[in-house]
Amino acid sequence: MPLHRQRLAEGVAAYTLAGPAVLLLFVLFFAPVIAVFVIALTDWQFGAHTFAFVGIANFREVFADDGFRASLLNTVIYVLIVVPGTVILGLAIAMLIESGRSLRALYRAIHFLPFMATLAAMAIAWEALLHPTIGLVNQTFSALGLPTANWLRDEVTALPVLAIIGIWQNLGFAMVLFLAGLKSIPRDLYDAAEIDGADLWLDRVRTVTLPMLGPVSMFVVIVVALRAFEAFDTVKVLTKGGPGHASDLLLYTLYRESFEYLRTGYGAAVAVVFLLIVVALTLIQARVMDKRVHYQ
């Protein structure tokens, strides 16, 4: 077979094999994103048969809305609590499990269970635990002589409580990844560090463990940050964004405007802003952390 015909046949085969995957990627990802951008430029309401293009009016309304600004600030605060808390506690628990001699599988299963459980169902359990009068949390605090609170209805405590639940839910995911990273570190490096004078456990962690966990840490931070930005279940079940806008997060704002208030054009504008923020932060995280995780 001539060379040009062979290359043509290979090209046809490649496009034929890749075609279904490319089509599904367009239908399931690119087409919905394009549709959201288009809807954001209209005044369409869910269920309406007509609409009109309004340009960037929805975006002007979004940035002028005090409720949206509150939900944006709450989301940033939520992410800044959940990501460091999850990473630090996940690494600490992974190191404790890895240093143990027995029951490792049991400890891994216990800590990973919240990540596998349905968060909406777990949120109901948290609601019972945080009940202001009969909840186990307040009863325990009272028995210890500590101050109690209506955790989910207080503007000061609602968002931190949701963040703590977010850490609890993502902790097992971070732990499992850090465990895998710890197992991949050659033991020879610890022996070499000890010979070089790193006698203390903390010195070996600082000079060997943390640098070798760089790629894993970058992946954990990015994935946990994305999951934190996508927090919805706990807000919907526990607080519904209240009291006021104290626990309002972007994804819940998007849902409420689009499917409760039926302001689909406005909700699409919120979705566009949400998508741009997530993509920008992901790229920034990858760029900044990528410079810190490569080692010779």
Side-chain angles (χ1 to χ4, degrees):
M1 179 183 294
L3 182 60
H4 70 279
R5 294 187 60 184
Q6 181 179 354
R7 290 180 175 176
L8 177 62
E10 291 175 352
V12 171
Y15 281 112
T16 302
L17 293 173
V22 173
L23 179 62
L24 284 175
L25 184 64
F26 177 80
V27 171
L28 298 178
F29 180 75
F30 291 109
V33 170
I34 294 172
V36 168
F37 273 86
V38 173
I39 293 173
L41 301 176
T42 71
D43 63 353
W44 184 57
Q45 294 185 336
F46 188 76
H49 299 289
T50 60
F51 63 89
F53 282 94
V54 295
I56 62 172
N58 286 325
F59 293 97
R60 286 199 298 265
E61 184 179 357
V62 164
F63 288 107
D65 185 1
D66 291 337
F68 172 80
R69 290 199 295 266
S71 68
L72 178 59
L73 178 61
N74 290 340
T75 303
V76 172
I77 295 173
Y78 180 87
V79 172
L80 290 178
I81 296 174
V82 170
V83 174
T86 302
V87 172
I88 294 172
L89 289 176
L91 177 59
I93 292 174
M95 294 176 67
L96 287 173
I97 292 176
E98 186 63 18
S99 64
R101 298 295 181 184
S102 61
L103 300 178
R104 291 184 180 182
L106 175 62
Y107 295 142
R108 286 197 297 264
I110 291 174
H111 288 95
F112 192 68
L113 183 61
F115 181 77
M116 297 297 295
T118 303
L119 190 55
M122 292 296 99
I124 297 175
W126 275 102
E127 186 176 24
L129 291 172
L130 296 168
H131 193 278
T133 56
I134 62 174
L136 180 61
V137 173
N138 272 350
Q139 289 189 356
T140 302
F141 278 31
S142 296
L144 297 175
L146 299 174
T148 61
N150 191 349
W151 303 102
L152 299 175
R153 298 295 179 266
D154 191 318
E155 292 185 356
V156 177
T157 59
L159 186 62
V161 166
L162 292 181
I164 291 172
I165 296 174
I167 294 173
W168 170 81
Q169 200 234 347
N170 290 291
L171 189 59
F173 174 76
M175 176 207 67
V176 168
L177 291 178
F178 281 127
L179 277 173
L182 289 171
K183 289 183 179 297
S184 67
I185 299 176
R187 307 309 302 177
D188 296 344
L189 293 179
Y190 291 104
D191 296 335
E194 189 172 356
I195 293 173
D196 289 339
D199 297 326
L200 299 177
W201 171 81
L202 185 60
D203 292 333
R204 291 192 292 273
V205 170
R206 180 176 55 83
T207 58
V208 177
T209 305
L210 294 181
M212 294 299 294
L213 287 177
V216 175
S217 300
M218 182 186 73
F219 181 78
V220 170
V221 168
I222 292 176
V223 173
V224 172
L226 290 176
R227 287 178 58 84
F229 269 104
E230 295 169 357
F232 172 79
D233 305 59
T234 50
V235 182
K236 172 65 175 174
V237 175
L238 296 178
T239 67
K240 292 182 172 55
H245 293 287
S247 63
D248 220 352
L249 300 181
L250 280 178
L251 204 59
Y252 184 74
T253 299
L254 189 161
Y255 163 82
R256 184 180 61 233
E257 296 292 340
S258 299
F259 300 105
E260 291 185 357
Y261 299 162
L262 302 181
R263 301 173 64 197
T264 312
Y266 181 91
V270 174
V272 170
V273 175
F274 174 80
L275 178 62
L276 293 177
I277 291 174
V278 170
V279 171
L281 288 179
T282 302
L283 293 177
I284 292 172
Q285 279 184 326
R287 178 66 64 87
V288 172
M289 296 193 65
D290 188 56
K291 296 178 181 179
R292 299 176 179 268
V293 300
H294 293 299
Y295 40 79
Q296 300 297 328

